[in-house]
Amino acid sequence: MPATRTIGLLAIEGVQLLDVSGPLDVFAEANVQAGAAVYQMKVVAVRRGSVRASSGARLLPDIVIEDDPKAARLPRFHTLLVGGAPHAGDAPTEPLVLEWIRHTVPGARRYGSVCSGAFLLAEAGLLDGRRVTTHWAAADALAARFPKVTVDADAIHVRDGKLRTAAGVTAGMDLALALVEEDLGREIALKVASQLVMFFKRPGGQGQFSRREAPAAANRSALQELQRWVAAHPAAAHDVPSLAARIGVSARHLSRLFREEVRVTPARWVEAARVTAARQLLEEGNIAPKQVAAECGFSSVDTLRRAFLRVVGVTPAEYRKRFVSVLD
């Protein structure tokens, strides 16, 4: 059995509780299944006292950065994970925290983040030139604020060298399970997944959970009106000439407007809008796939399936199976 690995989980004020407690439970269950204390978990906080999570629950830290930043770095972490918070990324992180992260990461075998904890690593300059993921709702903001970071908005978790990043909230458990598999092998990881009633490998990506509308509305009022009309009439003919005629511009001009304002081609935007409409019908659970395709402007069930895979990352049948009972 390998030597004990110290796992550090940084919890800032307002942390999403599951970003910390989820991985903690995975590592704790790995100890049970391995029959030995393979992992020693340490919650790290900025200040003394309890850390108030976004849910109102409180965490008691094992290590406090403010007491003595150098002493707080003494346990050489095998793995350091930074939890996210609903407000992470809204304001600059205090320098004390960033300095501690910068000094701690080089001594860790692995480091990473859960959910919006990626913002703290990015502020510390530790994500430049790296491929990462974060919560789907924060992916665009992370990419815009840190252009040197490659953000995969669909991945559940991403491995890039010694860096590991997870998508939103429960994806931290998926990441922790992947780390257990790295350390202890597939058999132990499978037993952990079974005991915690979670997927060993979650099917699909974040796209299936995203509730964003197709593409963001454009700034120009004419395009906004056109987008609303397409969303309300997904089954209508939406080739570029007909869309251009609807707002009184040339097809070439419309394509340029979409590139400048929406950052996608008209055809790609229409496809995404139709997939959004299809998702809504599939969630209702009482319409046949052929009818869903027809009502959303797809020429066949196969065309719907291909578009759904491109945009959502799973097939319509898989999507309906996972979400219809939840939303009924």
Side-chain angles (χ1 to χ4, degrees), residues 31-320:
N31 285 343
V32 173
Q33 297 302 328
V38 180
Y39 296 110
Q40 180 184 52
M41 289 77 77
K42 300 287 186 182
V43 175
V44 182
V46 182
R47 294 180 177 82
R48 285 189 178 187
S50 60
V51 177
R52 186 180 180 88
S54 59
S55 64
R58 294 185 177 274
L59 287 166
L60 289 176
D62 302 293
I63 298 171
V64 177
I65 296 173
E66 190 179 53
D67 282 354
D68 183 347
K70 292 185 178 179
R73 293 197 299 270
L74 283 180
R76 187 172 286 271
F77 296 114
H78 179 276
T79 303
L80 175 66
L81 297 177
V82 179
H87 65 273
D90 292 345
T93 303
E94 56 184 301
L96 176 67
V97 178
L98 297 180
E99 189 64 19
W100 183 85
I101 293 173
R102 291 189 190 104
H103 280 85
T104 304
V105 162
R109 289 282 302 277
R110 300 180 299 217
Y111 72 99
S113 59
V114 179
C115 198
S116 56
F119 281 91
L120 279 71
L121 293 179
E123 282 187 75
L126 297 172
L127 299 187
D128 290 355
R130 298 284 197 167
R131 176 174 167 263
V132 307
T133 192
T134 186
H135 193 291
W136 62 263
D140 290 345
L142 182 66
R145 185 172 167 189
F146 302 100
K148 294 181 180 179
V149 181
T150 300
V151 181
D152 185 340
D154 187 55
I156 297 297
H157 56 84
V158 169
R159 175 177 179 170
D160 185 347
K162 64 185 287 188
L163 172 66
R164 311 286 194 276
T165 51
V169 198
T170 59
M173 297 180 71
D174 296 81
L175 173 59
L177 188 63
L179 297 180
V180 169
E181 184 184 14
E182 281 184 35
D183 297 339
L184 305 180
R186 180 183 176 87
E187 184 177 351
I188 293 292
L190 279 167
K191 289 179 178 178
V192 171
S194 176
Q195 190 63 31
L196 296 181
V197 195
M198 61 182 290
F199 283 113
F200 177 59
K201 304 287 185 183
R202 192 192 304 221
Q206 288 194 81
Q208 61 188 308
F209 301 101
S210 168
R211 305 310 298 175
R212 287 187 296 190
E213 293 299 322
N219 294 324
R220 295 172 185 262
S221 58
L223 277 186
Q224 289 177 342
E225 181 58 36
L226 181 64
Q227 288 175 318
R228 284 192 287 269
W229 187 82
V230 170
H233 305 86
H238 295 315
D239 56 277
V240 174
S242 63
L243 292 175
R246 186 161 191 86
I247 60 173
V249 298
S250 69
R252 185 175 180 179
H253 184 58
L254 179 72
S255 296
R256 191 177 80 249
L257 287 177
F258 264 87
R259 285 196 304 271
E260 292 174 354
E261 300 289 336
V262 193
R263 306 296 183 188
V264 295
T265 65
R268 187 65 72 190
W269 187 89
V270 169
E271 179 183 76
R274 283 172 166 163
V275 167
T276 296
R279 288 175 68 165
Q280 293 171 350
L281 290 179
L282 288 167
E283 288 164 6
E284 293 174 7
N286 54 3
I287 302 179
K290 186 174 182 179
Q291 187 178 350
V292 172
E295 292 193 15
C296 296
F298 295 103
S299 59
S300 67
V301 172
D302 191 53
T303 303
L304 167 63
R305 185 179 186 278
R306 291 197 300 269
F308 219 86
L309 278 169
R310 275 193 297 271
V311 177
V312 184
V314 296
T315 66
E318 290 169 334
Y319 184 83
R320 169 174 274 172

